[in-house]
Amino acid sequence: TPMRYAWDDCQKYTQDFNFPEVIKRFIPFAMNYIRLWDRVSADRVDRFIANSDFVAKRIKKYYQKDAEVIHPPVATGNFYISESRKDPPRVDSPRFGPPRLGEAGETGVTSPRVEAGYFLMVGRLIAYKRHDIAISAFNKLGLPLKIIGRGPEMKRLQKMAGPNIEFLGRVSDNELAKYYAECRAFIFPQEEDFGIVAIEAMASGRPIIAFRGGDIPEHMEEGKMGIFFDNQTAEDIIEAVKKFRDSDYNPHYIRSKSLQFDREIFKSKIKSYLERELEKHKLSLTKR
C-alpha cells in the first residue's frame, strides 16, 4: 500500500506519532524526497496485490498501477459464536444513563445499577484508531465498554475514561475469542486498509458499529451485519449505538460472511495468482 504518511495527510500522521517536536518540523520537508523515492520504487514493481479494494484504489491514485485484490488471511477458526449469550435490554431503556454506582429507591437504600452486556474494542492504542471518540461517546452513554490492547495512547485514554470503561491490556487467545463472542457489538471508529479485528468480530457472529471509511464498507452489509456512522465524532457513535438493537442481527449469517477470509482460502488464492503470473512471465520471455 502507498505509505499513508507520505501520500495522504502528512501533517496529520506526523502529529499522530510521538516524534520529538524538532523531528516533526523537518518531516514535511523530507516528504518530497520520500515521495519521489517511493514513486520510482513503485515503477520497478511488476505486479501489485492489494489487501482490499480501498488499497487498490490508492495504488491506482498514487502509482497509476492496477492491483489485484487478495484479502489477508484471518484465523476464523479461532473464533466462535456464543450460543449461551443472552441479549441484554435495549440501549434506550430508562435504566441507562451516565455511569453511577447505584440508584436510591423509595427507602433510600442504594442498590447496584443493572449493567447491560458490554461493547468491545480491540487493537493497538494509537491515535488514528480513534479510541478517543469512542471513549467520549461511552462516557456520555454510560454503557459498558471494554478495550483490549496496549500502546502509547494508554495513559491519555485512561485519564479520559469513566468508570464504565475497562482497559484489559493484552489477553490470551482464548480470552480474546471469549470477549469477542460475548460482546453486544464491536466498535470500529477508525479507517483501516484491512481491519482484521473487525473480521475477527464477524467470525464471532457479532455485529459491528463502524465508521464508513477504509475497507470495512466492502465487507459489512448495513442492516444485516451492523450499523455505519459517517463522521468520526463521539456524537455520530452515540447516535449509532442508540439505533443499535441486538435482535436485528443473525450471528450465524454474520459469521458466514467472515469465512471468505479463512487462511486456506488465502493460500489457494495467492498460490493461483503466483502460478498464473509466473506463466505469463515465462511466456513473455519466449517471445523476446
Side-chain angles (χ1 to χ4, degrees):
T1 183
M3 293 181 289
R4 282 180 174 242
Y5 63 85
W7 293 104
D8 289 334
D9 189 341
C10 171
Q11 297 288 351
K12 177 181 179 298
Y13 283 100
T14 300
Q15 293 304 316
D16 282 351
F17 286 92
N18 297 321
F19 295 124
E21 284 301 321
V22 174
I23 294 178
K24 287 182 179 180
R25 290 176 190 172
F26 283 99
I27 285 177
F29 298 101
M31 280 303 116
N32 289 330
Y33 298 100
I34 290 176
R35 289 189 195 101
L36 286 170
W37 167 79
D38 189 52
R39 187 65 180 81
V40 170
S41 298
D43 286 339
R44 294 197 295 267
V45 175
D46 294 302
R47 298 287 186 274
F48 281 95
I49 301 174
N51 62 3
S52 65
D53 289 333
F54 176 64
V55 169
K57 290 173 183 175
R58 294 181 71 244
I59 291 171
K60 186 70 173 178
K61 178 179 179 180
Y62 296 120
Y63 297 158
Q64 286 80 54
K65 301 272 188 173
D66 292 322
E68 178 135 345
V69 176
I70 300 178
H71 299 301
V74 180
T76 55
N78 291 353
F79 304 97
Y80 58 87
I81 294 170
S82 175
E83 299 294 349
S84 61
R85 187 185 170 280
K86 294 181 179 179
D87 291 341
R90 281 170 38 176
V91 170
D92 55 3
S93 168
R95 76 180 62 182
F96 299 123
R100 52 192 182 274
L101 294 177
E103 296 174 334
E106 293 179 1
T107 62
V109 176
T110 301
S111 58
R113 179 170 175 263
V114 177
E115 185 180 89
Y118 59 89
F119 293 79
L120 182 67
M121 296 182 76
V122 176
R124 186 161 166 74
L125 305 184
I126 52 180
Y128 89 86
K129 293 185 182 286
R130 303 312 310 268
H131 292 85
D132 57 336
I133 58 172
I135 288 170
S136 295
F138 277 83
N139 281 343
K140 294 176 182 177
L141 288 164
L143 294 169
L145 173 66
K146 295 183 187 295
I147 299 175
I148 294 174
R150 299 195 304 186
E153 289 274 288
M154 172 77 86
K155 289 182 179 178
R156 184 179 78 88
L157 295 173
Q158 286 177 324
K159 288 178 181 178
M160 290 178 56
N164 55 310
I165 298 172
E166 183 180 6
F167 291 82
L168 300 171
R170 287 182 180 174
V171 300
S172 69
D173 290 346
N174 287 340
E175 289 175 314
L176 178 64
K178 188 173 188 294
Y179 279 119
Y180 273 126
E182 296 183 356
C183 73
R184 288 192 68 182
F186 189 72
I187 308 297
F188 194 75
Q190 66 262 42
E191 180 183 277
E192 295 278 15
D193 289 349
F194 184 81
I196 287 180
V197 293
I199 305 302
E200 291 175 348
M202 288 168 51
S204 308
R206 303 318 305 143
I208 304 170
I209 298 174
F211 170 59
R212 198 189 303 270
D215 75 299
I216 193 65
E218 302 170 29
H219 317 308
M220 191 180 104
E221 297 174 53
E222 189 162 23
K224 288 188 174 182
M225 300 169 67
I227 295 175
F228 284 114
F229 55 92
D230 294 313
N231 302 292
Q232 288 177 305
T233 65
E235 290 71 24
D236 271 42
I237 294 176
I238 289 169
E239 288 305 309
V241 172
K242 285 181 177 178
K243 291 177 185 176
F244 174 78
R245 289 177 175 81
D246 304 65
S247 57
D248 291 346
Y249 307 100
N250 182 331
H252 296 279
Y253 179 79
I254 295 172
R255 176 170 168 78
S256 72
K257 292 298 181 178
S258 76
L259 300 182
Q260 63 180 303
F261 305 107
D262 185 75
R263 282 176 173 171
E264 293 306 314
I265 292 175
F266 167 78
K267 288 179 184 178
S268 174
K269 286 184 176 180
I270 200 78
K271 183 173 183 288
S272 296
Y273 177 85
L274 292 172
E275 288 174 345
R276 183 177 74 243
E277 293 303 321
L278 179 60
E279 287 303 312
K280 288 181 184 178
H281 179 66
K282 288 178 178 177
L283 186 61
S284 70
L285 292 178
T286 61
K287 291 181 179 179
R288 291 180 183 177

